[in-house]
Amino acid sequence: MKVIVLGAGILGVTSAYQLAKAGHEVTVVDRQPGPALETSFANAGEVSFGYCSPWAAPGIPAKAMKWLFMKHAPLILRPKFDVAMLSWMVRMLSNCTSERYAINKSRMLRLADYSRIALAELRAETGIAYDERMQGTLQLFRTQQQLDASAKDVKALAADGIPYEVLDRDGCIRVEPALKHVREKIVGGLLTPKDETGDCFKFTNALAAKAEALGVRFAYGTTIEALDVEAGRVCGVVTARAGNHDRGRERMSADAVVVALGSYSPLLLKPLGIRLPVYPVKGYSLTIPITDASRAPESTVMDETFKIAITRLGDRIRVGGMAEISGYTNDLGLARRSTLEHSVTDLFPGGDVSKASFWSGLRPMTPDGTPVIGPTKIKGLFLNTGHGTLGWTMSTGSARLIGDLVSGRSPEIDAKDLAVSRYG
Ligand SMILES: Cc1cc2nc3c(=O)[nH]c(=O)nc-3n(C[C@H](O)[C@H](O)[C@H](O)COP(=O)(O)OP(=O)(O)OC[C@H]3O[C@@H](n4cnc5c(N)ncnc54)[C@H](O)[C@@H]3O)c2cc1C
């Protein structure tokens, strides 16, 4: 079959690779000049199969009120009259019940666990390197209250059969030796040892090269303007070359189309009557060259106080976090940079912050935290999007699902409740 994949982020590239392996003739279309230049560019680098939960959880509305007024706020809300924003927030709040949380979390864990297996196989099969490490995620508590509150996470991890260790101060220092310099600032931690880390940009680029070797064609610098649908079946896409809008549009034909446009996916689907509740939730990161490795993290440390992830990527520290609800904007606020700098220099001052690069990306968030993977009401049109906070983590399993669904094969895990039809 002729398959067009829309988007060359981590979800588009992993999908294209699996589709090519399944024997399809694949073209990837993206407006950028290369792979992973939008949200997959500089995320926090956690591949956290165990530390994997929806943001919509019981108690979050009350916590959110507190976060909004913190100096180094993990949550920033810039309300405006935007129906999509308001309706997404209402739906997100309606998912903050124990029942919804349990359903959403089990869906995410199923996909994350499948992705763990898929990533290991992909690594073995391709041999690609991406500053990967397999040393776990340490959720770090600065107060006894945070440590006590982690009891409910521990219960959930035990119930889901995910390996974990509750650590005291010395235990944290054993896992992350650089913390010995700041031992008085921490009280304990929760380690999920099976979690991994790695550079999503490097991985996506290396996999795009492998996909190209399998025959995948990449059409960069090409903006997707619309989907071409006739009699309820997708037959291609309408595109425009970057900077070429005046010279008319081009049509590309296909038997199947996979939408992997991240936060921009709902905009393309709306004219077809497909209401995809994905909204951009902005996050920020800093990438800092390491100058003193003895004061840098070994793996990922999640600073629970500021909800900031601090990760070792080769000879760099990546610090990422914050959730800003402000629509489709990538502007870089200095206050956000100071929050990231504060968290990293307080715990791991082993990098040269003056040489750091500052970045923002739009997480494609669903209100229930679970991505949207599967068919739509339009024949031949599939979605692989809405991966929110954990798109890098869940990419390899999501791509394998899409490879099977597009090829008409039964997926290896249950995928029915991941499709857009779950929203009714
Ligand atoms: C600060 C931050 C930290 C994060 N940390 C982690 C983490 O530690 N671990 C983790 O698992 N996840 C993390 N994430 C989430 C993860 O980065 C995303 O879920 C993932 O990158 C989404 O990938 P995607 O392929 O869906 O979207 P994207 O990477 O945004 O790809 C979509 C592509 O579509 C293209 N596109 C869009 N519209 C058009 C159009 N009209 N025409 C042509 N092309 C178009 C874009 O150019 C882009 O290349 C983080 C995100 C942020 C912002």
Side-chain angles (χ1 to χ4, degrees):
M1 264 197 309
K2 240 171 139 176
V3 186
I4 299 182
V5 176
L6 306 182
I10 180 71
L11 273 309
V13 170
T14 48
S15 301
Y17 179 82
Q18 292 299 341
L19 288 160
K21 263 183 55 179
H24 301 295
E25 190 188 316
V26 185
T27 304
V28 180
V29 186
D30 199 292
R31 60 187 169 199
Q32 295 290 346
L37 288 172
E38 297 206 2
T39 309
S40 306
F41 182 68
N43 66 29
E46 286 176 81
V47 188
S48 43
F49 308 117
Y51 189 81
C52 174
S53 307
W55 277 0
I60 285 295
K63 278 191 194 162
M65 289 309 291
K66 202 181 82 189
W67 288 336
L68 283 172
F69 298 103
M70 274 171 67
K71 184 179 174 216
H72 292 293
L75 176 69
I76 306 109
L77 178 60
R78 290 203 196 140
K80 54 181 172 182
F81 190 75
D82 173 355
V83 178
M85 180 194 275
L86 296 173
S87 106
W88 183 87
M89 280 174 22
V90 169
R91 289 174 94 150
M92 156 103 184
L93 290 174
S94 73
N95 274 282
C96 291
T97 63
S98 312
E99 297 74 28
R100 291 305 318 163
Y101 179 76
I103 294 170
N104 298 335
K105 182 161 175 133
S106 75
R107 289 173 177 165
M108 290 176 75
L109 278 176
R110 189 197 317 149
L111 188 57
D113 198 47
Y114 185 47
S115 297
R116 182 177 56 79
I117 299 162
L119 178 58
E121 287 181 11
L122 199 59
R123 218 172 20 231
E125 158 186 327
T126 59
I128 59 182
Y130 50 97
D131 287 337
E132 72 278 12
R133 288 184 176 216
M134 286 79 189
Q135 288 167 256
T137 298
L138 175 65
Q139 193 181 353
L140 195 68
F141 306 123
R142 293 172 184 251
T143 65
Q144 187 61 40
Q145 202 188 1
Q146 288 171 345
L147 183 59
D148 295 344
S150 72
K152 69 170 183 352
D153 295 333
V154 166
K155 224 167 121 188
L157 290 169
D160 293 318
I162 293 164
Y164 66 88
E165 280 175 57
V166 178
L167 303 174
D168 60 10
R169 187 179 276 151
D170 289 329
C172 292
I173 293 168
R174 176 174 50 77
V175 175
E176 286 289 349
L179 289 174
K180 68 174 180 278
H181 302 289
V182 290
R183 55 177 296 127
E184 75 292 349
K185 290 184 183 165
I186 59 175
V187 298
L190 176 59
L191 177 73
T192 36
K194 295 281 175 206
D195 285 356
E196 304 181 6
T197 54
D199 187 329
C200 182
F201 174 78
K202 278 193 179 175
F203 179 89
T204 313
N205 275 268
L207 192 66
K210 297 279 176 193
E212 218 161 357
L214 289 179
V216 175
R217 199 172 76 81
F218 285 86
Y220 293 121
T222 304
T223 300
I224 301 131
E225 302 219 315
L227 286 159
D228 203 355
V229 175
E230 274 173 31
R233 166 165 267 294
V234 74
C235 43
V237 292
V238 181
T239 64
R241 296 281 300 163
N244 197 20
H245 295 259
D246 298 342
R247 278 194 250 152
R249 295 157 143 203
E250 284 168 33
R251 270 171 205 280
M252 295 170 77
S253 67
D255 306 303
V257 173
V258 176
V259 178
L261 295 173
S263 293
Y264 295 85
S265 305
L267 310 185
L268 192 75
L269 298 166
K270 201 173 164 196
L272 302 173
I274 299 173
R275 304 233 163 239
L276 177 69
V278 166
Y279 196 76
V281 175
K282 190 175 170 187
Y284 296 86
S285 78
L286 274 184
T287 307
I288 309 165
I290 294 176
T291 46
D292 176 359
S294 71
R295 288 180 173 245
E298 285 295 324
S299 188
T300 290
V301 172
M302 188 67 206
D303 184 350
E304 185 56 22
T305 303
F306 304 110
K307 301 274 176 202
I308 299 258
I310 309 171
T311 301
R312 173 71 166 267
L313 294 176
D315 55 4
R316 301 157 297 152
I317 303 173
R318 174 74 50 76
V319 198
M322 283 169 282
E324 182 177 304
I325 305 175
S326 55
Y328 287 89
T329 152
N330 275 101
D331 58 348
L332 292 166
L334 284 183
R336 312 295 160 242
R337 180 175 178 133
S338 98
T339 298
L340 295 172
E341 284 185 7
H342 174 75
S343 176
V344 70
T345 52
D346 199 40
L347 296 173
F348 297 102
D352 184 348
V353 174
S354 71
K355 296 209 172 85
S357 43
F358 185 31
W359 171 86
S360 78
L362 302 178
R363 300 180 187 90
M365 288 288 289
T366 58
D368 50 353
T370 313
V372 181
I373 306 162
T376 63
K377 64 182 182 183
I378 292 168
K379 285 199 190 72
L381 181 63
F382 294 83
L383 310 183
N384 191 9
T385 190
H387 290 71
T389 50
L390 290 170
W392 171 205
T393 301
M394 297 192 279
S395 59
T396 45
S398 305
R400 245 156 86 160
L401 282 181
I402 269 301
D404 284 339
L405 292 167
V406 172
S407 308
R409 299 189 300 233
S410 291
E412 292 166 303
I413 59 165
D414 187 11
K416 280 192 236 41
D417 55 357
L418 304 179
V420 69
S421 54
R422 74 173 184 265
Y423 296 113

